[in-house]
Amino acid sequence: MPVVEGSDLALLQRRQQQVRNICILAHVDHGKTTLADSLVASNGIISQRMAGKLRYLDSRQDEQERGITMKSSSISLHYKDHGNRNENDFLVNLIDSPGHVDFSSEVSTAVRLCDGAIVVVDVVEGVGAQTRACLKQIYEEQLKPVLVLNKLDRLILEKQMEPLDAYFHLTQVLEQVNAVLGSIFASDVLAREDITQKDNQESALEEVDDSELYFSPSSGNVVFSSAYDGWAFSVRDFAAMYDKRLEMKREELEQVLWGDFYYNSKKKCAMPGAQEKAKKPMFVQFVLENIWSMYDIIAVRKDKDKLPGIAEKLGLKLAARDLRLTDPKLQIKAVLGQWLPIDSSVLHMVVQHVPPPHQISEERAQRLLYPANIQLSSLPLETLKLKDSFTSCDAGSDNVIAFVSKMTPIHVSQLPQNRPKRMTDQELQTRRDEVRRRIEERKHQSEQTELERITEGVEQLSTKQEDTPKEEPPPGPEPAAEAERNEFVFVAFARVFSGTLRRGMELFNLSPKHDPRQPAHRIEGQAPYATRVTIGDLYMFMGGELQLLDEVPAGNIVGIGGLGAHIVKTATLSSTLDCTSFSELSIMATPILRVAIEPVQPQDMPKLVKGLKLLNQADACVQVSVAPTGEHVITTLGEVHVEKCVHDLEQSYAKVKVNVSKPIVSFRETIVPAATVDMVNEAIVKTADDKDVSKKIAVQQTLNKLGTLKVIALPLPPEAVELLERHTEFFKELAATPRNQLLSEKYATLLASIKLKLVAALQDLHLFGLSSLSPEELVSRLWALGPRNCGTNLLLNLTDYEQPDFWSSQAKSSDTEIRSLSDPRKDFNSSLVNGFQLTSGAGPLCEEPMQGVCFAVLEWSIQSEGEDLNARGPFSGQVLTAAKEVCRQAFQNQPQRLVTPMYSCTIVVNAEMLGKMYAVIGRRHGKILSGDLTQGSGNFSVTCLLPVIESFNFAQEMRKQTSGLACPQLMFSHWEVIDIDPFWLPTTEEELMHFGEKADSANRAKVYMDSVRRRKGLFVDEQVVEHAEKQRTLSKNK
């Protein structure tokens, strides 16, 4: 197929009905980039024979070396749909995204700009961890998904399945995918269910419609393919082949070709119950058996002579070059690729099932435009009107709205204005004529003159060749220095949602804090969170290349130049200040792996700082910060992500060698109920002193002895911790909401729902008889959450003081709302809360945040009569210090534990290497959750939990021990308590017998705690030499 000109694609951008924005999502190594190659080859950009080998959209060198995609790349493709008579030309903006969990942030940036997604699943490996994460993100962003079941050739050649077995295997894989979709849908519906209505006993699932949710080949949203072999088909393709032969209507045949139907040749119709009657399903008889026989002839028996006959029967025209091929894979690609072309099957499915940009759903438009915590009625009328131009995607609208999902670094040499232009046919012909004319002129000259001139020319040429190397080096450094100044340009990866974007246009860059409800925010020049930006060059993404555009209408994906100085990662661009800032991208994985970076040569520090700024802008998920110790720290998603960031710094952005520290892992601190058994499972006999609760209560006075605080620390029930952890983002937004501002109906309902769930969770809170309050009263006495007003630690008020109402519908309650205005303690309310926040943000074990601790304030008294409270410094500071110390003391009075982050690890390995894999996991304190045999293969799919601190070089060790046959995928799972006291020493006779006097096996919790304390420069209780002896020589003195 000839290469499609950029001008033709630019014309198609204006026809919104014929534009489709899609991304390809899948687990790592399921065939996304190979599928993208096949679609790119359909436009003649690369050879069909090179599809799958070239990896055209993997433009980075390290992507090609590792064989995985690390960044999302976009390309615009032309598709001619022969089945659609009216509008047969389509523009498909395709984004290929990474499947590796370390680059999941790139998936988030791609998903936001698209209307649909191609979900690719390897039929042998089935649904992977990233497949689940992608389906969840598709559901949250309300995209229309279509499914490609890839690598069918593996079932034939690798697993050597029969067509019937392969059919049952395919149905199981399809059921797996639909089960994941169903669980995501059900959990979302149940989460939104209003549990405050106690009269309604019906489940919310009974009322909702999920008919459009699932994948089904008969619906046309499933394609079966082998992207590497270049073929794919849908049920529709075979229905078109067989409708006349089977004497059935095509529409009817599409419905029965997949499923438990068999063909009755006498009645000329499809009958249900194929499995029950031991008949071949139609899908096996008419589809799979044909493909299996093709592979049998070409790849298994290698019967090359039958190729011309097969091609003739199928109506294919094979070139002489194809018939001379000796590689069976290339022969399959030549025959099946022509018979069942992958591009027409996949792109037809996309065109039919993915909606065009102007058919964006009301719900999605509302989710993107308006933040969830805002009541829509509180927004100005102009802002609400923007939704109409947004949903209609009107290119002629005066309201231009665009969203930038990431900033892409482009090398200056890759910009279209700096690339050498391709010569047209006319220019080539003119150049040929000029050369011919010069040759003719030379022929007319005399032979002698020509000989002398040639001789002179040779002498001059040799002289020049000698002189050239001497002259070239001096001017060399200048261009290099120039290139160093401007080597990378940032192009915004964006989509236009309304209006038409033109070069040189001036728009407002709206930051997340921009709020049109504030009158000042809508006045130009006074808006504090909006800046004016000028649109630079506009580009169409063509994989690794760019094409210049003059204007881009609504509904298209575009690259915008000239915004590098104004946008860090994401931004909302609008022509009006009435527009809200788009909701933030939903990130699939949390950055958890931190490393400190420093240059090898100290004088290169300015270059490193500049390079880190560029890295922060170029990578959507990396977080660059400066630690209190002065170290430059980058927070990433995993080891591969760290390697990519360091490679980019050294090779592109900073161009200096850097030293990378050992990974810094965050821990949390908590308390647990008193143990009932010791370390050797012997029951602990408690004395009267152990049962005395008063010893657990911490008492602290302020410096001037006029204020007293009594606090006890209690472990929160796991249900309460999980509830608070799940709604951390909600409480963070709640804390940031201005005072006396009405919450949206959605947020007010959610707050009431959390309150009810917290009451149920606190039923198990053990107060040791210190209070007789019911769980409902305890929740109403909630003072604050910590740390940072959104953590999993509670401050409860069990005193006679009336604290601000935490659950007030007026969002944050201020100190002035306290009813007992005569109480002197009201002035120091914030000081006490801040003391709690400081303690919960840095615990006593190793200055890490706390988790799941309830601080109950039993007494708070101030003797203010006739005394000067500020005698020893400001009394507010004294209260803060006392609150901080009493909380630390109360925490230390209880059994303390470290909480470690855990990775969920998925490994696919064959049976021979299972033992070696278990040994690696055991050495790193991992826990096996499941190890099931994957149906239809000899591989085991093992799921385990692994502490993050033990995960470094885990992938390398696993590959080394299993000879490269096991490749783990690590994804953050949860926080887990290490059930060992960091200060434990063997004391009982049984413990001494089991562990020895010095506890020969190291206390894991203490090792972790000491490593964090050592890194932070805190005191570490360790002896360098425990049992020193005088050194002596064993050899005899002669």
Side-chain angles (χ1 to χ4, degrees):
M1 188 175 174
V3 178
V4 181
E5 290 294 329
S7 55
D8 297 337
L9 295 175
L11 284 171
L12 278 172
Q13 285 186 337
R14 295 171 193 166
R15 305 178 197 163
Q16 289 178 351
Q17 183 61 39
Q18 291 156 253
V19 175
R20 299 291 185 274
N21 298 313
I22 57 160
C23 53
I24 306 181
L25 308 178
H27 190 73
V28 68
D29 286 336
H30 277 207
K32 294 180 300 301
T33 307
T34 309
L35 174 63
D37 266 10
S38 300
L39 301 181
V40 169
S42 70
N43 274 221
I45 297 169
I46 62 171
S47 159
Q48 193 75 50
R49 191 175 292 187
M50 292 303 293
K53 297 175 185 172
L54 191 63
R55 301 174 66 86
Y56 181 73
L57 293 181
D58 286 354
S59 52
R60 289 172 58 101
Q61 188 183 344
D62 48 356
E63 286 181 316
Q64 293 287 349
E65 287 169 359
R66 286 178 181 271
I68 59 170
T69 306
M70 292 184 177
K71 64 174 183 58
S72 48
S73 306
S74 177
I75 190 165
S76 296
L77 302 175
H78 172 262
Y79 169 60
K80 202 173 187 73
D81 187 7
H82 299 288
N84 196 333
R85 292 177 187 174
N86 301 327
E87 299 159 352
N88 54 5
D89 285 316
F90 288 89
L91 172 68
V92 178
N93 294 315
L94 177 78
I95 304 177
D96 180 30
S97 60
H100 198 286
V101 67
D102 282 12
F103 307 104
S104 54
S105 61
E106 291 284 333
V107 178
S108 306
T109 61
V111 164
R112 174 56 62 89
L113 304 184
C114 296
D115 300 305
I118 301 173
V119 180
V120 184
V121 176
D122 182 339
V123 292
V124 173
E125 293 182 14
V127 176
Q130 279 299 99
T131 315
R132 296 171 197 275
C134 291
L135 286 170
K136 188 173 184 185
Q137 192 145 24
I138 287 168
Y139 182 81
E140 284 176 358
E141 289 282 347
Q142 295 166 354
L143 268 62
K144 180 71 178 173
V146 290
L147 181 66
V148 173
L149 293 175
N150 194 24
K151 302 194 183 182
L152 255 73
D153 58 302
R154 288 185 69 188
L155 297 180
I156 307 170
L157 301 175
E158 192 180 312
K159 300 301 170 193
Q160 297 184 348
M161 285 186 175
E162 291 299 315
L164 189 61
D165 297 334
Y167 166 71
F168 289 127
H169 180 76
L170 289 171
T171 56
Q172 286 171 352
V173 173
L174 191 60
E175 280 170 15
Q176 280 179 12
V177 179
N178 283 333
V180 172
L181 266 180
S183 65
I184 293 166
F185 174 74
S187 58
D188 176 57
V189 170
L190 293 173
R192 286 185 290 164
E193 188 177 9
D194 187 5
I195 61 169
T196 53
Q197 296 178 358
K198 294 182 180 176
D199 301 333
N200 186 10
Q201 298 297 319
E202 283 190 2
S203 169
L205 285 170
E206 293 175 15
E207 299 170 9
V208 291
D209 177 30
D210 62 348
S211 56
E212 296 290 314
L213 181 70
Y214 300 110
F215 295 115
S216 169
S218 53
S219 303
N221 59 1
V222 179
V223 158
F224 304 88
S225 80
S226 169
Y228 191 77
D229 287 347
W231 58 267
F233 65 88
S234 63
V235 168
R236 168 187 157 274
D237 297 329
F238 276 91
M241 290 181 204
Y242 281 107
D243 57 347
K244 290 178 183 173
R245 194 184 303 177
L246 300 180
E247 298 178 17
M248 290 177 72
K249 289 181 182 176
R250 188 183 298 184
E251 293 77 19
E252 289 176 12
L253 198 51
E254 282 179 28
Q255 296 303 313
V256 296
L257 207 49
W258 173 267
D260 193 30
F261 296 95
Y262 69 94
Y263 183 67
N264 189 322
S265 53
K266 289 181 181 176
K267 296 181 180 177
K268 303 283 184 187
C269 66
M271 307 286 282
Q275 199 171 348
E276 187 186 334
K277 295 173 184 173
K279 302 275 189 184
K280 271 186 196 172
M282 291 177 71
F283 191 75
V284 176
Q285 186 180 352
F286 298 117
V287 180
L288 294 185
E289 283 187 351
N290 287 321
I291 292 167
W292 255 248
S293 61
M294 294 278 268
Y295 269 85
D296 183 51
I297 293 166
I298 299 170
V300 180
R301 286 188 279 161
K302 298 179 181 174
D303 196 346
K304 195 177 169 185
D305 300 333
K306 288 190 177 177
L307 273 182
I310 292 170
E312 192 180 335
K313 282 180 183 175
L314 296 174
L316 309 177
K317 292 179 182 177
L318 288 181
R321 182 182 63 181
D322 295 332
L323 295 170
R324 287 197 299 268
L325 293 169
T326 53
D327 185 0
K329 276 283 184 186
L330 292 176
Q331 291 173 355
I332 284 169
K333 193 175 259 192
V335 177
L336 280 170
Q338 203 175 331
W339 182 39
L340 302 168
I342 189 167
D343 52 283
S344 63
S345 298
V346 174
L347 292 177
H348 177 83
M349 175 173 68
V350 165
V351 163
Q352 291 299 315
H353 290 274
V354 174
H358 65 279
Q359 289 180 12
I360 187 169
S361 68
E362 291 275 330
E363 197 178 342
R364 188 178 181 217
Q366 190 166 312
R367 184 186 176 279
L368 291 176
L369 263 183
Y370 309 127
N373 62 341
I374 289 178
Q375 184 71 34
L376 288 183
S377 57
S378 65
L379 289 166
L381 192 62
E382 292 83 357
T383 305
L384 294 170
K385 281 182 180 175
L386 286 175
K387 188 178 170 186
D388 297 332
S389 56
F390 190 88
T391 48
S392 62
C393 202
D394 184 10
S397 172
D398 296 332
N399 299 317
V400 179
I401 303 171
F403 179 74
V404 177
S405 70
K406 70 168 183 172
M407 299 299 288
T408 308
I410 303 288
H411 199 277
V412 174
S413 61
Q414 295 297 317
L415 291 174
Q417 53 265 45
N418 297 339
R419 279 204 316 267
K421 289 183 180 176
R422 214 167 60 180
M423 293 180 73
T424 61
D425 293 342
Q426 192 175 353
E427 287 171 336
L428 281 169
Q429 189 60 44
T430 311
R431 182 167 283 193
R432 285 194 200 103
D433 294 344
E434 181 66 22
V435 171
R436 286 197 191 103
R437 189 181 60 77
R438 285 181 185 174
I439 290 169
E440 290 297 326
E441 278 181 9
R442 276 192 186 173
K443 280 183 181 177
H444 287 305
Q445 291 172 351
S446 64
E447 202 170 336
Q448 185 63 33
T449 318
E450 198 174 284
L451 185 62
E452 285 173 9
R453 193 169 290 170
I454 288 168
T455 314
E456 281 175 22
V458 169
E459 285 173 10
Q460 285 174 6
L461 188 64
S462 60
T463 317
K464 280 179 186 174
Q465 282 175 347
E466 285 171 19
D467 294 344
T468 306
K470 295 174 188 175
E471 290 174 8
E472 269 186 358
E478 285 178 19
E482 216 173 292
E484 200 174 327
R485 281 198 295 274
N486 290 318
E487 194 157 357
F488 284 95
V489 174
F490 280 96
V491 173
F493 192 49
R495 173 173 167 179
V496 187
F497 283 95
S498 173
T500 300
L501 203 62
R502 294 182 178 85
R503 196 185 306 173
M505 183 182 270
E506 284 200 352
L507 297 175
F508 293 104
N509 172 20
L510 309 178
S511 74
K513 288 186 179 178
H514 177 74
D515 187 358
R517 292 175 300 175
Q518 311 292 331
H521 288 209
R522 287 187 286 147
I523 301 169
E524 191 176 341
Q526 291 185 24
Y529 303 113
T531 53
R532 267 201 173 279
V533 294
T534 304
I535 301 298
D537 290 319
L538 299 175
Y539 304 103
M540 181 190 288
F541 288 105
M542 296 298 290
E545 296 181 1
L546 299 170
Q547 286 191 10
L548 276 170
L549 297 169
D550 293 324
E551 60 177 39
V552 179
N556 288 284
I557 291 168
V558 62
I560 309 172
L563 300 179
H566 303 280
I567 299 171
V568 179
K569 289 182 189 284
T570 63
T572 306
L573 302 177
S574 172
S575 57
T576 169
L577 286 169
D578 294 321
C579 183
T580 53
S581 179
F582 273 39
S583 57
E584 289 185 13
L585 297 174
S586 53
I587 302 295
M588 293 197 295
T590 315
I592 197 169
L593 188 66
R594 294 182 296 159
V595 290
I597 286 188
E598 63 175 18
V600 174
Q601 302 294 335
Q603 64 265 30
D604 290 333
M605 182 55 86
K607 289 182 180 177
L608 178 66
V609 172
K610 184 185 172 188
L612 284 170
K613 283 181 183 173
L614 291 173
L615 176 70
N616 186 43
Q617 197 169 7
D619 197 311
C621 207
V622 76
Q623 295 173 3
V624 179
S625 57
V626 179
T629 53
E631 293 174 307
H632 290 275
V633 176
I634 59 170
T635 310
T636 59
L637 285 167
E639 283 186 271
V640 183
H641 195 191
V642 169
E643 287 171 24
K644 174 189 176 258
C645 292
V646 171
H647 177 271
D648 285 353
L649 275 174
E650 291 188 339
Q651 302 296 325
S652 305
Y653 303 141
K655 293 203 167 179
V656 295
K657 287 286 177 188
V658 297
N659 289 330
V660 183
S661 73
K662 285 184 179 178
I664 304 163
V665 178
S666 302
F667 284 90
R668 289 183 185 173
E669 302 176 20
T670 191
I671 55 174
V672 293
T676 54
V677 293
D678 62 13
M679 292 292 285
V680 287
N681 289 331
E682 295 284 335
I684 297 172
V685 180
K686 292 190 178 179
T687 62
D689 282 354
D690 294 334
K691 293 178 183 176
D692 188 4
V693 180
S694 60
K695 291 197 173 181
K696 305 284 187 188
I697 299 171
V699 182
Q700 185 76 26
Q701 288 187 317
T702 54
L703 193 62
N704 57 13
K705 309 295 182 190
L706 297 177
T708 308
L709 276 166
K710 280 187 184 178
V711 173
I712 186 168
L714 305 164
L716 272 178
E719 296 81 13
V721 178
E722 191 185 335
L723 177 71
L724 294 171
E725 183 85 55
R726 199 166 57 243
H727 294 100
T728 301
E729 288 299 321
F730 167 72
F731 284 117
K732 191 184 286 183
E733 286 186 32
L734 202 63
T737 307
R739 289 191 179 114
N740 303 322
Q741 180 183 302
L742 275 173
L743 286 177
S744 68
E745 188 182 339
K746 180 182 176 183
Y747 265 42
T749 310
L750 182 57
L751 194 63
S753 167
I754 292 170
K755 187 176 180 181
L756 276 173
K757 289 175 183 174
L758 193 59
V759 168
L762 290 187
Q763 299 280 356
D764 300 331
L765 184 65
H766 189 36
L767 288 169
F768 299 104
L770 295 169
S771 173
S772 57
L773 295 174
S774 65
E776 289 85 357
E777 291 172 308
L778 285 176
V779 170
S780 65
R781 283 175 169 268
L782 178 58
W783 206 332
L785 295 178
R788 294 184 294 279
N789 297 308
C790 59
T792 56
N793 305 290
L794 303 183
L795 183 64
L796 280 185
N797 176 23
L798 303 183
T799 67
D800 56 349
Y801 168 69
E802 292 191 38
Q803 88 286 355
D805 184 9
F806 180 82
W807 304 102
S808 166
S809 60
Q810 299 292 317
K812 279 194 310 185
S813 305
S814 62
D815 295 344
T816 54
E817 290 171 21
I818 303 164
R819 290 185 291 279
S820 47
L821 298 174
S822 59
D823 195 330
R825 292 174 290 187
K826 71 178 178 62
D827 297 326
F828 309 106
N829 181 78
S830 60
S831 298
L832 192 145
V833 171
N834 287 338
F836 156 72
Q837 298 287 2
L838 287 171
T839 307
S840 59
L845 288 178
C846 48
E847 302 286 329
E848 291 287 302
M850 290 182 184
Q851 173 182 297
V853 184
C854 172
F855 291 100
V857 183
L858 304 173
E859 183 187 321
W860 183 25
S861 60
I862 295 176
Q863 300 165 12
S864 58
E865 287 81 11
E867 299 283 351
D868 181 12
L869 292 175
N870 298 320
R872 300 233 180 152
F875 190 65
S876 58
Q878 294 181 43
V879 172
L880 189 148
T881 308
K884 179 183 168 187
E885 288 305 318
V886 78
C887 287
R888 283 177 81 97
Q889 206 177 321
F891 183 89
Q892 288 174 305
N893 286 345
Q894 298 282 8
Q896 304 165 71
R897 295 287 185 273
L898 269 184
V899 188
T900 177
M902 301 292 284
Y903 274 138
S904 168
C905 176
T906 310
I907 310 166
V908 177
V909 64
N910 63 13
E912 296 167 10
M913 294 297 171
L914 210 54
K916 290 180 179 178
M917 183 204 67
Y918 284 146
V920 174
I921 294 168
R923 277 198 294 274
R924 291 172 178 264
H925 306 286
K927 286 191 287 189
I928 306 293
L929 296 180
S930 65
D932 301 324
L933 183 68
T934 307
Q935 289 208 351
S937 73
N939 291 341
F940 281 82
S941 177
V942 178
T943 308
C944 67
L945 293 175
L946 194 72
V948 171
I949 197 165
E950 298 284 358
S951 67
F952 311 122
N953 297 318
F954 174 67
Q956 285 89 323
E957 188 186 354
M958 182 65 77
R959 281 197 291 268
K960 195 174 174 183
Q961 294 295 329
T962 60
S963 307
L965 294 174
C967 189
Q969 276 273 298
L970 298 168
M971 182 185 276
F972 176 70
S973 173
H974 65 286
W975 291 84
E976 189 172 288
V977 177
I978 303 172
D979 202 18
I980 307 169
D981 187 345
F983 305 107
W984 174 81
L985 287 170
T987 50
T988 66
E989 195 176 324
E990 289 82 5
E991 286 178 343
L992 285 165
M993 188 188 299
H994 192 275
F995 293 102
E997 195 176 330
K998 300 195 203 86
D1000 298 330
S1001 52
N1003 181 339
R1004 190 156 64 98
K1006 189 173 190 310
V1007 170
Y1008 296 162
M1009 183 182 78
D1010 286 348
S1011 69
V1012 176
R1013 291 186 72 89
R1014 200 176 289 111
R1015 175 170 54 79
K1016 291 185 175 182
L1018 304 171
F1019 171 72
V1020 178
D1021 181 20
E1022 64 178 350
Q1023 290 176 304
V1024 180
V1025 180
E1026 274 193 46
H1027 302 286
E1029 290 180 0
K1030 182 183 174 186
Q1031 185 180 1
R1032 61 192 179 86
T1033 178
L1034 295 176
S1035 61
K1036 290 180 181 179
N1037 291 327
K1038 290 181 182 177

